[in-house]
């Protein structure tokens, strides 16, 4: 089983010109197409010059007719497009009267449905028919890069040349040759199905088209093909007795080759190439290999840049770490007063021990330089005398302060608190109930137990 890509807006990007060729038995129609300012301009190629097309070096686009190729919608009960694509081949195989392994196929325009499932449009042709088409082209000196699917090509070209006026109306594109008519059916811009039947089998044609809802807009018919003369179209239209509107395209004989050439040069919906899998053209194989190599080169370049960035980041981190470690070591030596060979927590303990040793050694000098308690006592006694405080007990030491006495009122005893404060921290003040003399006993305590 061989398969192409699942979706493509353009079969090949980068082409500015190509040949579109339709070989149907003895009939051969070709155009030269060029992409100019976003549109495709086609000019007919004389039948006698078709054998010399390869000399110009432009790519050739061929087509598989609806008689030897087919399209099918398949739907998988998955909301994930990647999961749906895995089961699409199995679902398509069930619909076919022959093994899918005998076909070259591609899934295009995979989309989610309102019900949450995924559906995709399959385009396929039996491998034997593809090989026969390639052999017929080779006999004319042609080597098509693309083999498009006729039904899809007719549909998209009709949308391009005659856009639908009503997106809800049924639309039919009828490609007419001497013996058969290819019917492409859709609604608005959406492709539904395509079939080829004998031109004289009007019952089959009516059955395939179906009868639209009486309340719906009338069906629009677009006629094209080498046999789409006004007389033939009129005769078939009367035989069908089909209600609706009809129109015939300009230059109907070259409509299909215009379609396949346009699809090769411009992006759009329902693009496909049935020359896929092991039948892929060598130019496309080389292009895909080059793209793969470019992708690999980009990936390797990105990996190298990422590795370089990681290396720079690691080098910067290492440099900063070393700088911080050196600064810490210098600070450790400065705090210890001598060089510390230990590291980490051992270095911290060594610094702590060194600082403690210096603190203990300096303690006598610190105590000698401390403010005298006599000065604080004199200031305390003077403040008490000035504010009418009677002091019963006064204990002043570096470890503890305790003062007991009485105050003429509730608040007057607070004046001694700033005198007894150390480093701005006031000692605790406790008051008792008033005595018979109406004085307030108080106690000021700071420091450890007595």
């Amino acid at each position: 089983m061989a398969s192409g890509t699942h979706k493509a807006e353009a079969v090949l990007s980068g082409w500015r010109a190509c040949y579109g060729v339709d070989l149907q038995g003895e009939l051969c129609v070709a155009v030269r197409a060029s992409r100019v300012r976003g549109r495709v301009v086609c000019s007919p190629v004389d039948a006698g010059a078709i054998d010399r097309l390869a000399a110009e070096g432009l790519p050739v686009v061929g087509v598989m007719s609806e008689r030897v190729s087919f399209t099918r919608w398949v739907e998988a009960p998955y909301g994930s497009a990647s999961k749906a694509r895995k089961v699409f081949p199995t679902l398509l195989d069930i619909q076919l009267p022959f093994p899918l392994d005998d076909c070259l196929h591609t899934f295009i325009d995979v989309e989610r449905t309102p019900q949450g499932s995924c559906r995709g449009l399959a385009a396929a042709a039996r491998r034997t028919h593809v090989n026969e088409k390639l052999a017929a082209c080779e006999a004319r000196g042609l080597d098509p890069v693309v083999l498009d699917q006729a039904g899809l090509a007719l549909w998209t070209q009709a949308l391009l040349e005659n856009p639908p006026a009503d997106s809800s109306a049924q639309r039919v594109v009828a490609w007419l040759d001497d013996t058969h008519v290819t019917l492409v059916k859709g609604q608005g811009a959406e492709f539904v199905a395509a079939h080829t039947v004998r031109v004289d089998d009007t019952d089959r044609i009516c059955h395939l088209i179906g009868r639209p809802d009486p309340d719906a807009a009338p069906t629009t018919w677009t006629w094209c093909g080498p046999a789409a003369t006004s007389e033939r179209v009129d005769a078939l239209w009367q035989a069908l007795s089909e209600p609706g509107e009809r129109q015939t395209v300009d230059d109907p004989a070259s409509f299909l080759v215009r379609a396949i050439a346009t699809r090769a040069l411009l992006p759009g919906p329902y693009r496909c190439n049935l020359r896929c899998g092991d039948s892929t053209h060598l130019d496309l194989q080389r292009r895909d290999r080059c793209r793969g190599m470019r992708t690999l080169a980009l990936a390797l370049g990105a990996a190298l840049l990422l590795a370089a960035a990681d290396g720079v980041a690691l080098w910067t981190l290492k440099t900063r770490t070393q700088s911080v470690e050196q600064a810490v070591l210098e600070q450790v030596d400065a705090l210890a007063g001598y060089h510390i060979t230990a590291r980490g927590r051992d270095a911290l303990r060594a610094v702590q021990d060194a600082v403690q040793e210096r603190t203990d050694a300096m303690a006598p000098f610190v105590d000698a330089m401390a403010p005298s308690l006599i000065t604080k006592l004199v200031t305390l006694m003077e403040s008490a005398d000035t504010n009418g405080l009677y002091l019963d007990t006064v204990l002043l030491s570096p470890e503890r302060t305790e003062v007991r006495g009485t105050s003429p009122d509730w608040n007057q005893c607070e004046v001694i608190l700033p005198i007894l404060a150390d480093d701005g921290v006031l000692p605790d003040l406790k008051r008792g109930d008033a005595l018979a003399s109406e004085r307030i006993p108080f106690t000021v305590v700071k420091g450890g137990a007595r």
Side-chain angles (χ1 to χ4, degrees), residues 158 162 171-175 220-224 246-247 249 255:
N162 298 296
R171 182 181 176 95
V172 175
V173 181
W175 190 86
T220 299
W221 287 68
T222 300
W223 291 89
C224 55
R246 63 171 180 149
Q247 55 187 338
V249 300
F255 184 79

Side-chain angles (χ1 to χ4, degrees), residues 337-349:
Y338 56 88
H339 180 61
I340 300 293
T341 58
R343 295 290 184 268
R345 293 183 179 180
D346 294 337
L348 179 59
R349 281 193 293 269

Side-chain angles (χ1 to χ4, degrees), residues 46-215:
D46 184 72
I50 291 177
D51 296 343
R52 300 188 298 274
L53 294 185
E56 189 175 354
L58 291 180
V60 174
V61 180
V63 61
M64 299 294 293
S65 71
E66 193 65 34
R67 298 176 65 180
V68 294
S69 64
F70 57 91
T71 51
R72 295 285 191 280
W73 283 103
V74 291
E75 184 171 338
Y78 298 109
S80 168
S82 59
K83 290 183 178 180
R85 291 182 190 115
K86 293 179 181 179
V87 300
F88 277 166
T90 302
L91 298 176
L92 178 61
D93 195 17
I94 296 173
Q95 297 184 25
L96 302 180
F98 42 79
L100 185 60
D101 290 342
D102 294 343
C103 297
L104 295 170
H105 70 276
T106 178
F107 290 99
I108 55 179
D109 289 62
V110 178
E111 59 187 24
R112 292 196 65 179
T113 67
Q115 294 74 29
S117 59
C118 278
R119 73 168 190 165
L121 180 60
R126 300 192 73 169
R127 192 183 301 272
T128 54
H129 293 150
V130 172
N131 292 337
E132 289 172 0
K133 177 63 69 174
L134 293 176
C137 291
E138 184 179 2
R140 304 297 292 264
L142 304 175
D143 184 18
V145 179
V146 175
L147 286 180
D148 208 337
Q149 205 279 332
L152 297 177
L154 293 171
W155 179 256
T156 58
Q157 192 67 13
L159 293 178
L160 181 65
E161 296 190 8
N162 298 296
D166 187 347
S167 60
S168 63
Q170 179 172 275
R171 182 181 176 95
V172 175
V173 181
W175 190 86
L176 187 63
D177 62 21
D178 291 336
T179 58
H180 290 78
V181 58
T182 295
L183 302 170
V184 188
K185 178 182 176 181
Q187 185 170 4
E190 182 180 0
F191 172 87
V192 173
H195 304 276
T196 295
V197 297
R198 291 191 59 83
V199 71
D200 55 0
D201 193 351
T202 54
D203 292 339
R204 177 65 175 164
I205 294 174
C206 292
H207 174 74
L208 291 174
I209 299 304
R211 296 296 179 183
D213 189 330
D215 298 329

Side-chain angles (χ1 to χ4, degrees), residues 186-372:
Q187 185 170 4
E190 182 180 0
F191 172 87
V192 173
H195 304 276
T196 295
V197 297
R198 291 191 59 83
V199 71
D200 55 0
D201 193 351
T202 54
D203 292 339
R204 177 65 175 164
I205 294 174
C206 292
H207 174 74
L208 291 174
I209 299 304
R211 296 296 179 183
D213 189 330
D215 298 329
T219 301
T220 299
W221 287 68
T222 300
W223 291 89
C224 55
T229 62
S230 58
E231 296 79 5
R232 290 288 306 275
V233 172
D234 289 342
L236 187 55
W237 187 257
Q238 293 178 2
L240 292 174
S241 300
E242 187 71 21
E245 302 176 359
R246 63 171 180 149
Q247 55 187 338
T248 301
V249 300
D250 296 333
D251 192 9
S254 67
F255 184 79
L256 181 56
V257 286
R258 295 203 306 269
I260 60 176
T262 299
R263 285 160 59 86
L265 299 181
L266 294 182
Y270 305 121
R271 266 51 175 173
C272 71
N273 183 7
L274 292 179
R275 188 172 184 180
C276 54
D278 53 13
S279 294
T280 302
H281 194 277
L282 291 178
D283 288 348
L284 295 190
Q285 294 181 22
R286 284 192 290 267
R287 183 204 63 177
D288 292 341
R289 283 196 296 269
C290 290
R291 286 182 177 177
M293 293 300 294
R294 285 196 295 268
T295 302
L296 179 59
L298 290 174
L300 290 176
L304 291 175
L305 288 176
L306 182 59
D310 286 343
V312 171
L314 290 174
W315 177 82
T316 303
L317 179 61
K318 183 177 180 180
T319 302
R320 291 181 179 177
T321 301
Q322 292 175 346
S323 176
V324 171
E325 288 178 349
Q326 183 62 32
V328 170
L329 293 176
E330 292 175 356
Q331 190 65 31
V332 165
D333 291 348
L335 291 172
Y338 56 88
H339 180 61
I340 300 293
T341 58
R343 295 290 184 268
R345 293 183 179 180
D346 294 337
L348 179 59
R349 281 193 293 269
V351 170
Q352 291 173 338
D353 294 343
V355 171
Q356 187 62 45
E357 289 177 3
R358 288 204 303 272
T359 301
D360 295 342
M362 294 293 293
F365 300 98
V366 173
D367 293 341
M369 298 300 293
S372 175

